[in-house]
Amino acid sequence: MAQLWGGRFTGSINELAWNFNASITFDKRFLEVDVRGSKAHAKMLSKQGIISEEESNKICEGLDTILEDVKSGKLEITSKYEDIHSFLEANLIDRIGDAGKKVHTGRSRNDQVALDMRLYARDEVKHMEALLTNTLTVLNQIMKDNLDTYMPGFTHLQKAQPVTLAHHVGAYFEMFKRDLLRMRDIYERMNYCPLGAGALAGTTYPLDREYTAQLLDFYGPTLNSMDSVSDRDYLIEFMSALSTVMMHLSRFSEEIIIWNSNEYRFVTIDDAYSTGSSIMPQKKNPDIAELVRGKTGRVYGDLMSLLTTMKGIPLAYNKDMQEDKEAFFDAIDNTANCLTLFTDMMATVKFNKDNMEKSAMMGFTNATDAADYLVNKGMPFRDAHSVIGRLVLCCIDKNCAIDDLTIDELKEFSELFDNDIYDAISLETCVNKRLTIGAPSPEMMRKVIEINEAFLKEDK
Ligand code: ARG
């Protein structure tokens, strides 16, 4: 056990308590950001004349060599240390002697860990943005390829009105676009530097917090030292945004699972993203989509865990906050994996366009358009609704579609029916005439795709 705080103690810590308290097994992820932060702190200390330039250089070089040695496998991060901060400081002192003992001047692990988490989370926000851009690019391509791929649109999972695959996928484009914009929002609010807050009340050293913030590419320093060490709002915001990403992925996964079912056969998932059964030789299961759906609950759980951890913590730092890490790492790892895998699966999925179109032609998806036809011939909508309702009942009886009826049969329901009805309720007309903003006609969708592509371009 190599701790930073021996002086005040006479006895040694219980082994179980040591392990319970330690965070090195998971905060070793902070190795790189902790080095980044400590180097900036050392540079600022020397600029302010608190340590010498030579000492600062030694600290920076020492930290760099430790980082290199861990990366190359020469140096191992072991549970001998309480956390990554202790590991780095102890190794630094081993390597450079007395100068290493000065790195923690005017700093506490409370502001150090707050900084590490911000630096780490900030990189992850950027990473999520990149993954979401990739998802949007794949969806945009599917949309472009499927402007005329007709399929049923559903409400209550019952066939409702015809749409196109481009339109259906376009709904998810909007969701993931909002997810991406949320990431940018979060970045704007979180990008302030907590280092210099000390344990909770700042410090008497003349630290230049603006300089440290600048060295680390923050917009500026945080403005209240107690808040700085105990704020985890940005993680909660981020995990809430990740939960929303997962909710979107889960909904889409659910659709893929339904579309992949023997009954629908709208899609064929590539072998690379499906698995078989140990007993049933015929099976090809959509496990990746199911797991994405399953892991959504887990990411929600991570968010709930941190929200609950934070709710009873008085100012300022309390050790409960160490619990932020595992939940946060779990949320980002799982969301990143799910986004990557789901997107790759979508890039390779085969859409069975014939099955989609056949399905759109059944289930009376053109019933609204048949009613609108009568309205255009002068019938009030409520009457038209009732006429078509009776007509559908008759079709169900005969097991046929509205367009299968002859004009004479149609005229029994209303004299207003004429030969132009067939064209008016064809799949093409039903879709292509929906020209309002946001509607599925290829003409409208082309405009939306133009807007989406401009967004993706400006995003680069
Ligand atoms: N491992 C701790 C955490 O993650 C670092 C801060 C420790 N501070 C302290 N006062 N014990 O929160």
Side-chain angles (χ1 to χ4, degrees), residues 134-181:
N134 188 30
T135 305
L136 290 174
T137 307
V138 167
L139 298 189
N140 183 60
Q141 191 55 49
I142 296 174
M143 290 167 73
K144 276 169 84 169
D145 294 343
N146 290 286
L147 285 165
D148 309 295
T149 304
Y150 301 116
M151 64 176 285
F154 298 84
T155 63
H156 314 272
L157 206 51
Q158 308 269 329
K159 287 180 196 177
Q161 291 172 345
V163 294
T164 65
L165 180 59
H167 192 244
H168 195 118
V169 170
Y172 286 98
F173 189 101
E174 296 298 318
M175 295 179 225
F176 291 118
K177 182 177 167 188
R178 288 195 293 273
D179 287 331
L180 196 154
L181 294 174

Short mmCIF file of all heavy atoms in Angstrom, two decimals, residues 134-181:
data_model
loop_
_atom_site.label_atom_id
_atom_site.label_comp_id
_atom_site.label_asym_id
_atom_site.label_seq_id
_atom_site.Cartn_x
_atom_site.Cartn_y
_atom_site.Cartn_z
N ASN A 134 -21.24 9.41 -38.16
CA ASN A 134 -21.12 8.19 -38.97
C ASN A 134 -22.48 7.52 -39.15
O ASN A 134 -22.84 7.11 -40.26
CB ASN A 134 -20.12 7.26 -38.26
CG ASN A 134 -19.77 6.07 -39.09
OD1 ASN A 134 -19.78 6.14 -40.32
ND2 ASN A 134 -19.51 4.95 -38.45
N THR A 135 -23.24 7.44 -38.07
CA THR A 135 -24.59 6.86 -38.16
C THR A 135 -25.44 7.66 -39.14
O THR A 135 -26.12 7.09 -40.01
CB THR A 135 -25.27 6.87 -36.76
OG1 THR A 135 -24.41 6.20 -35.84
CG2 THR A 135 -26.62 6.19 -36.79
N LEU A 136 -25.40 8.97 -39.02
CA LEU A 136 -26.21 9.83 -39.90
C LEU A 136 -25.81 9.64 -41.36
O LEU A 136 -26.65 9.65 -42.26
CB LEU A 136 -26.06 11.30 -39.49
CG LEU A 136 -26.72 11.69 -38.16
CD1 LEU A 136 -26.39 13.13 -37.78
CD2 LEU A 136 -28.24 11.52 -38.23
N THR A 137 -24.52 9.48 -41.60
CA THR A 137 -24.04 9.31 -42.98
C THR A 137 -24.60 8.02 -43.58
O THR A 137 -25.04 8.00 -44.73
CB THR A 137 -22.49 9.30 -43.00
OG1 THR A 137 -22.04 10.47 -42.32
CG2 THR A 137 -21.94 9.29 -44.40
N VAL A 138 -24.59 6.95 -42.78
CA VAL A 138 -25.13 5.67 -43.26
C VAL A 138 -26.64 5.78 -43.50
O VAL A 138 -27.16 5.34 -44.53
CB VAL A 138 -24.81 4.54 -42.25
CG1 VAL A 138 -25.60 3.29 -42.55
CG2 VAL A 138 -23.31 4.23 -42.27
N LEU A 139 -27.35 6.41 -42.58
CA LEU A 139 -28.81 6.56 -42.76
C LEU A 139 -29.13 7.41 -43.98
O LEU A 139 -30.06 7.11 -44.73
CB LEU A 139 -29.45 7.16 -41.50
CG LEU A 139 -29.33 6.36 -40.20
CD1 LEU A 139 -30.20 6.97 -39.10
CD2 LEU A 139 -29.70 4.89 -40.39
N ASN A 140 -28.34 8.45 -44.18
CA ASN A 140 -28.57 9.32 -45.33
C ASN A 140 -28.44 8.54 -46.63
O ASN A 140 -29.22 8.72 -47.57
CB ASN A 140 -27.58 10.49 -45.29
CG ASN A 140 -27.81 11.47 -46.42
OD1 ASN A 140 -28.88 12.05 -46.53
ND2 ASN A 140 -26.83 11.62 -47.30
N GLN A 141 -27.47 7.64 -46.67
CA GLN A 141 -27.28 6.84 -47.89
C GLN A 141 -28.48 5.91 -48.11
O GLN A 141 -28.97 5.78 -49.24
CB GLN A 141 -25.98 6.02 -47.77
CG GLN A 141 -25.53 5.36 -49.07
CD GLN A 141 -25.38 6.36 -50.23
OE1 GLN A 141 -24.74 7.39 -50.07
NE2 GLN A 141 -26.03 6.07 -51.35
N ILE A 142 -28.96 5.30 -47.05
CA ILE A 142 -30.15 4.43 -47.19
C ILE A 142 -31.33 5.25 -47.71
O ILE A 142 -32.08 4.81 -48.58
CB ILE A 142 -30.51 3.77 -45.82
CG1 ILE A 142 -29.37 2.86 -45.36
CG2 ILE A 142 -31.81 2.99 -45.92
CD1 ILE A 142 -29.55 2.29 -43.96
N MET A 143 -31.45 6.46 -47.20
CA MET A 143 -32.56 7.32 -47.65
C MET A 143 -32.44 7.63 -49.13
O MET A 143 -33.41 7.53 -49.88
CB MET A 143 -32.55 8.64 -46.83
CG MET A 143 -32.96 8.45 -45.39
SD MET A 143 -32.59 9.88 -44.36
CE MET A 143 -33.86 11.02 -44.94
N LYS A 144 -31.23 7.98 -49.55
CA LYS A 144 -31.03 8.32 -50.97
C LYS A 144 -31.34 7.14 -51.89
O LYS A 144 -31.85 7.31 -52.98
CB LYS A 144 -29.57 8.76 -51.19
CG LYS A 144 -29.37 10.22 -50.85
CD LYS A 144 -27.92 10.58 -50.80
CE LYS A 144 -27.34 10.91 -52.14
NZ LYS A 144 -26.00 11.52 -52.01
N ASP A 145 -31.01 5.95 -51.40
CA ASP A 145 -31.22 4.75 -52.23
C ASP A 145 -32.67 4.27 -52.22
O ASP A 145 -33.01 3.36 -52.96
CB ASP A 145 -30.35 3.59 -51.69
CG ASP A 145 -28.87 3.86 -51.85
OD1 ASP A 145 -28.52 4.76 -52.64
OD2 ASP A 145 -28.06 3.20 -51.17
N ASN A 146 -33.50 4.84 -51.36
CA ASN A 146 -34.84 4.26 -51.20
C ASN A 146 -35.97 5.28 -51.22
O ASN A 146 -36.98 5.13 -50.53
CB ASN A 146 -34.88 3.46 -49.88
CG ASN A 146 -34.05 2.20 -49.98
OD1 ASN A 146 -34.45 1.23 -50.62
ND2 ASN A 146 -32.87 2.23 -49.39
N LEU A 147 -35.80 6.28 -52.07
CA LEU A 147 -36.84 7.31 -52.19
C LEU A 147 -38.16 6.74 -52.69
O LEU A 147 -39.23 7.25 -52.38
CB LEU A 147 -36.36 8.41 -53.14
CG LEU A 147 -35.32 9.36 -52.55
CD1 LEU A 147 -34.65 10.16 -53.64
CD2 LEU A 147 -35.96 10.27 -51.51
N ASP A 148 -38.09 5.69 -53.52
CA ASP A 148 -39.30 5.08 -54.07
C ASP A 148 -39.54 3.68 -53.53
O ASP A 148 -40.23 2.89 -54.15
CB ASP A 148 -39.21 4.95 -55.60
CG ASP A 148 -38.82 6.25 -56.25
OD1 ASP A 148 -39.60 7.19 -56.16
OD2 ASP A 148 -37.72 6.30 -56.85
N THR A 149 -38.91 3.34 -52.42
CA THR A 149 -39.18 2.01 -51.85
C THR A 149 -40.40 2.14 -50.95
O THR A 149 -40.33 2.64 -49.83
CB THR A 149 -37.95 1.54 -51.03
OG1 THR A 149 -36.82 1.56 -51.88
CG2 THR A 149 -38.17 0.13 -50.50
N TYR A 150 -41.54 1.67 -51.47
CA TYR A 150 -42.79 1.83 -50.72
C TYR A 150 -42.88 0.80 -49.61
O TYR A 150 -42.46 -0.35 -49.77
CB TYR A 150 -43.99 1.66 -51.65
CG TYR A 150 -43.99 2.67 -52.77
CD1 TYR A 150 -43.89 2.26 -54.10
CD2 TYR A 150 -44.09 4.02 -52.50
CE1 TYR A 150 -43.87 3.18 -55.13
CE2 TYR A 150 -44.07 4.96 -53.52
CZ TYR A 150 -43.96 4.53 -54.83
OH TYR A 150 -43.93 5.44 -55.84
N MET A 151 -43.44 1.23 -48.53
CA MET A 151 -43.67 0.31 -47.41
C MET A 151 -44.84 0.84 -46.59
O MET A 151 -45.21 2.02 -46.71
CB MET A 151 -42.41 0.21 -46.52
CG MET A 151 -42.05 1.51 -45.83
SD MET A 151 -40.64 1.35 -44.71
CE MET A 151 -41.41 0.49 -43.35
N PRO A 152 -45.45 -0.02 -45.78
CA PRO A 152 -46.54 0.50 -44.96
C PRO A 152 -45.99 1.33 -43.80
O PRO A 152 -44.96 0.99 -43.24
CB PRO A 152 -47.23 -0.76 -44.42
CG PRO A 152 -46.25 -1.87 -44.60
CD PRO A 152 -45.22 -1.46 -45.60
N GLY A 153 -46.67 2.43 -43.50
CA GLY A 153 -46.38 3.14 -42.26
C GLY A 153 -47.37 2.60 -41.23
O GLY A 153 -48.48 2.21 -41.59
N PHE A 154 -46.96 2.56 -39.98
CA PHE A 154 -47.80 1.93 -38.96
C PHE A 154 -48.21 2.91 -37.86
O PHE A 154 -47.46 3.82 -37.53
CB PHE A 154 -47.03 0.80 -38.27
CG PHE A 154 -46.62 -0.33 -39.19
CD1 PHE A 154 -45.46 -0.25 -39.95
CD2 PHE A 154 -47.40 -1.47 -39.28
CE1 PHE A 154 -45.08 -1.29 -40.79
CE2 PHE A 154 -47.04 -2.51 -40.12
CZ PHE A 154 -45.87 -2.42 -40.87
N THR A 155 -49.39 2.70 -37.31
CA THR A 155 -49.71 3.24 -35.98
C THR A 155 -50.30 2.07 -35.22
O THR A 155 -50.97 1.22 -35.83
CB THR A 155 -50.74 4.41 -36.03
OG1 THR A 155 -51.96 3.90 -36.55
CG2 THR A 155 -50.27 5.56 -36.91
N HIS A 156 -50.01 1.99 -33.94
CA HIS A 156 -50.46 0.83 -33.12
C HIS A 156 -49.95 -0.49 -33.70
O HIS A 156 -50.57 -1.53 -33.52
CB HIS A 156 -51.98 0.77 -33.00
CG HIS A 156 -52.62 2.08 -32.69
ND1 HIS A 156 -52.81 2.54 -31.40
CD2 HIS A 156 -53.09 3.06 -33.50
CE1 HIS A 156 -53.39 3.73 -31.43
NE2 HIS A 156 -53.56 4.08 -32.70
N LEU A 157 -48.86 -0.43 -34.46
CA LEU A 157 -48.31 -1.58 -35.18
C LEU A 157 -49.34 -2.18 -36.16
O LEU A 157 -49.27 -3.34 -36.55
CB LEU A 157 -47.78 -2.66 -34.20
CG LEU A 157 -46.68 -3.58 -34.74
CD1 LEU A 157 -45.53 -2.82 -35.38
CD2 LEU A 157 -46.14 -4.51 -33.66
N GLN A 158 -50.31 -1.36 -36.56
CA GLN A 158 -51.29 -1.75 -37.57
C GLN A 158 -50.99 -0.90 -38.79
O GLN A 158 -50.66 0.28 -38.67
CB GLN A 158 -52.71 -1.38 -37.10
CG GLN A 158 -53.09 -1.87 -35.73
CD GLN A 158 -53.75 -3.23 -35.79
OE1 GLN A 158 -54.42 -3.56 -36.76
NE2 GLN A 158 -53.53 -4.04 -34.79
N LYS A 159 -51.15 -1.51 -39.96
CA LYS A 159 -50.88 -0.75 -41.18
C LYS A 159 -51.76 0.48 -41.22
O LYS A 159 -52.97 0.40 -40.98
CB LYS A 159 -51.12 -1.62 -42.39
CG LYS A 159 -50.04 -2.66 -42.57
CD LYS A 159 -50.30 -3.52 -43.77
CE LYS A 159 -49.42 -4.77 -43.67
NZ LYS A 159 -49.67 -5.70 -44.78
N ALA A 160 -51.16 1.63 -41.55
CA ALA A 160 -51.91 2.89 -41.49
C ALA A 160 -51.97 3.56 -42.86
O ALA A 160 -53.03 3.58 -43.51
CB ALA A 160 -51.25 3.81 -40.48
N GLN A 161 -50.86 4.09 -43.31
CA GLN A 161 -50.79 4.74 -44.62
C GLN A 161 -49.44 4.42 -45.21
O GLN A 161 -48.48 4.18 -44.48
CB GLN A 161 -50.94 6.27 -44.45
CG GLN A 161 -52.33 6.68 -44.01
CD GLN A 161 -52.45 8.15 -43.66
OE1 GLN A 161 -51.45 8.84 -43.46
NE2 GLN A 161 -53.67 8.63 -43.56
N PRO A 162 -49.37 4.41 -46.55
CA PRO A 162 -48.07 4.05 -47.14
C PRO A 162 -47.04 5.17 -46.99
O PRO A 162 -47.38 6.35 -47.05
CB PRO A 162 -48.41 3.81 -48.61
CG PRO A 162 -49.66 4.55 -48.86
CD PRO A 162 -50.39 4.68 -47.56
N VAL A 163 -45.83 4.78 -46.77
CA VAL A 163 -44.70 5.72 -46.74
C VAL A 163 -43.60 5.11 -47.60
O VAL A 163 -43.85 4.17 -48.36
CB VAL A 163 -44.21 5.97 -45.30
CG1 VAL A 163 -45.25 6.69 -44.47
CG2 VAL A 163 -43.80 4.67 -44.62
N THR A 164 -42.41 5.65 -47.51
CA THR A 164 -41.27 5.01 -48.18
C THR A 164 -40.23 4.67 -47.12
O THR A 164 -40.27 5.21 -46.00
CB THR A 164 -40.60 5.95 -49.20
OG1 THR A 164 -40.03 7.05 -48.49
CG2 THR A 164 -41.59 6.44 -50.25
N LEU A 165 -39.32 3.80 -47.50
CA LEU A 165 -38.24 3.45 -46.57
C LEU A 165 -37.41 4.70 -46.26
O LEU A 165 -36.98 4.91 -45.12
CB LEU A 165 -37.37 2.34 -47.19
CG LEU A 165 -36.21 1.88 -46.33
CD1 LEU A 165 -36.67 1.35 -44.99
CD2 LEU A 165 -35.41 0.79 -47.07
N ALA A 166 -37.21 5.54 -47.29
CA ALA A 166 -36.45 6.78 -47.06
C ALA A 166 -37.11 7.62 -45.97
O ALA A 166 -36.45 8.17 -45.08
CB ALA A 166 -36.37 7.59 -48.35
N HIS A 167 -38.43 7.68 -46.00
CA HIS A 167 -39.17 8.48 -45.04
C HIS A 167 -39.08 7.87 -43.63
O HIS A 167 -38.85 8.59 -42.65
CB HIS A 167 -40.63 8.56 -45.49
CG HIS A 167 -41.44 9.57 -44.74
ND1 HIS A 167 -42.50 9.23 -43.95
CD2 HIS A 167 -41.34 10.92 -44.66
CE1 HIS A 167 -43.02 10.33 -43.42
NE2 HIS A 167 -42.33 11.37 -43.83
N HIS A 168 -39.23 6.56 -43.58
CA HIS A 168 -39.16 5.87 -42.28
C HIS A 168 -37.77 6.05 -41.66
O HIS A 168 -37.64 6.43 -40.50
CB HIS A 168 -39.48 4.38 -42.49
CG HIS A 168 -39.79 3.65 -41.22
ND1 HIS A 168 -41.00 3.05 -40.97
CD2 HIS A 168 -39.04 3.44 -40.12
CE1 HIS A 168 -40.98 2.50 -39.76
NE2 HIS A 168 -39.80 2.72 -39.23
N VAL A 169 -36.74 5.81 -42.46
CA VAL A 169 -35.37 5.96 -41.95
C VAL A 169 -35.09 7.43 -41.63
O VAL A 169 -34.37 7.75 -40.69
CB VAL A 169 -34.36 5.38 -42.97
CG1 VAL A 169 -32.93 5.73 -42.58
CG2 VAL A 169 -34.54 3.86 -43.06
N GLY A 170 -35.72 8.30 -42.41
CA GLY A 170 -35.56 9.74 -42.19
C GLY A 170 -36.00 10.16 -40.79
O GLY A 170 -35.46 11.12 -40.22
N ALA A 171 -36.98 9.46 -40.24
CA ALA A 171 -37.42 9.78 -38.87
C ALA A 171 -36.26 9.54 -37.90
O ALA A 171 -36.02 10.34 -36.99
CB ALA A 171 -38.61 8.90 -38.50
N TYR A 172 -35.53 8.47 -38.12
CA TYR A 172 -34.37 8.19 -37.25
C TYR A 172 -33.24 9.17 -37.50
O TYR A 172 -32.49 9.52 -36.58
CB TYR A 172 -33.91 6.73 -37.41
CG TYR A 172 -34.86 5.80 -36.73
CD1 TYR A 172 -35.85 5.13 -37.46
CD2 TYR A 172 -34.84 5.64 -35.35
CE1 TYR A 172 -36.77 4.30 -36.82
CE2 TYR A 172 -35.74 4.82 -34.70
CZ TYR A 172 -36.71 4.15 -35.44
OH TYR A 172 -37.61 3.35 -34.80
N PHE A 173 -33.13 9.63 -38.75
CA PHE A 173 -32.12 10.66 -39.03
C PHE A 173 -32.37 11.87 -38.13
O PHE A 173 -31.44 12.40 -37.51
CB PHE A 173 -32.15 11.06 -40.51
CG PHE A 173 -31.01 11.94 -40.92
CD1 PHE A 173 -29.91 11.42 -41.59
CD2 PHE A 173 -31.00 13.30 -40.60
CE1 PHE A 173 -28.83 12.23 -41.94
CE2 PHE A 173 -29.93 14.12 -40.94
CZ PHE A 173 -28.84 13.58 -41.62
N GLU A 174 -33.63 12.27 -38.04
CA GLU A 174 -33.96 13.43 -37.20
C GLU A 174 -33.58 13.18 -35.74
O GLU A 174 -33.05 14.06 -35.06
CB GLU A 174 -35.46 13.75 -37.28
CG GLU A 174 -35.96 14.17 -38.65
CD GLU A 174 -35.32 15.44 -39.17
OE1 GLU A 174 -35.15 16.38 -38.38
OE2 GLU A 174 -34.98 15.48 -40.37
N MET A 175 -33.86 11.96 -35.26
CA MET A 175 -33.56 11.64 -33.85
C MET A 175 -32.06 11.72 -33.58
O MET A 175 -31.62 12.34 -32.61
CB MET A 175 -34.06 10.23 -33.49
CG MET A 175 -35.56 10.08 -33.57
SD MET A 175 -36.06 8.38 -33.16
CE MET A 175 -37.26 8.07 -34.46
N PHE A 176 -31.29 11.08 -34.44
CA PHE A 176 -29.83 11.06 -34.20
C PHE A 176 -29.21 12.44 -34.45
O PHE A 176 -28.17 12.76 -33.87
CB PHE A 176 -29.17 9.98 -35.05
CG PHE A 176 -29.53 8.58 -34.60
CD1 PHE A 176 -30.19 7.70 -35.45
CD2 PHE A 176 -29.22 8.15 -33.31
CE1 PHE A 176 -30.55 6.41 -35.02
CE2 PHE A 176 -29.58 6.87 -32.87
CZ PHE A 176 -30.24 6.02 -33.73
N LYS A 177 -29.86 13.22 -35.29
CA LYS A 177 -29.37 14.59 -35.48
C LYS A 177 -29.56 15.40 -34.19
O LYS A 177 -28.67 16.12 -33.75
CB LYS A 177 -30.13 15.25 -36.65
CG LYS A 177 -29.69 16.65 -36.98
CD LYS A 177 -30.45 17.16 -38.18
CE LYS A 177 -30.28 18.64 -38.37
NZ LYS A 177 -31.15 19.18 -39.42
N ARG A 178 -30.72 15.23 -33.57
CA ARG A 178 -30.94 15.91 -32.28
C ARG A 178 -29.93 15.42 -31.25
O ARG A 178 -29.42 16.20 -30.44
CB ARG A 178 -32.37 15.66 -31.77
CG ARG A 178 -33.44 16.39 -32.54
CD ARG A 178 -34.76 16.40 -31.78
NE ARG A 178 -35.38 15.08 -31.64
CZ ARG A 178 -36.20 14.53 -32.55
NH1 ARG A 178 -36.50 15.18 -33.66
NH2 ARG A 178 -36.73 13.34 -32.35
N ASP A 179 -29.64 14.11 -31.29
CA ASP A 179 -28.65 13.57 -30.34
C ASP A 179 -27.30 14.26 -30.52
O ASP A 179 -26.63 14.61 -29.56
CB ASP A 179 -28.48 12.06 -30.56
CG ASP A 179 -29.68 11.27 -30.06
OD1 ASP A 179 -30.34 11.74 -29.11
OD2 ASP A 179 -29.96 10.19 -30.62
N LEU A 180 -26.95 14.44 -31.78
CA LEU A 180 -25.66 15.08 -32.06
C LEU A 180 -25.66 16.54 -31.57
O LEU A 180 -24.69 17.00 -30.96
CB LEU A 180 -25.40 15.01 -33.57
CG LEU A 180 -23.98 15.26 -34.03
CD1 LEU A 180 -23.73 14.55 -35.36
CD2 LEU A 180 -23.67 16.72 -34.23
N LEU A 181 -26.76 17.22 -31.82
CA LEU A 181 -26.84 18.62 -31.37
C LEU A 181 -26.79 18.72 -29.84
O LEU A 181 -26.22 19.65 -29.28
CB LEU A 181 -28.11 19.28 -31.91
CG LEU A 181 -28.14 19.44 -33.44
CD1 LEU A 181 -29.49 19.96 -33.90
CD2 LEU A 181 -27.02 20.36 -33.93
#
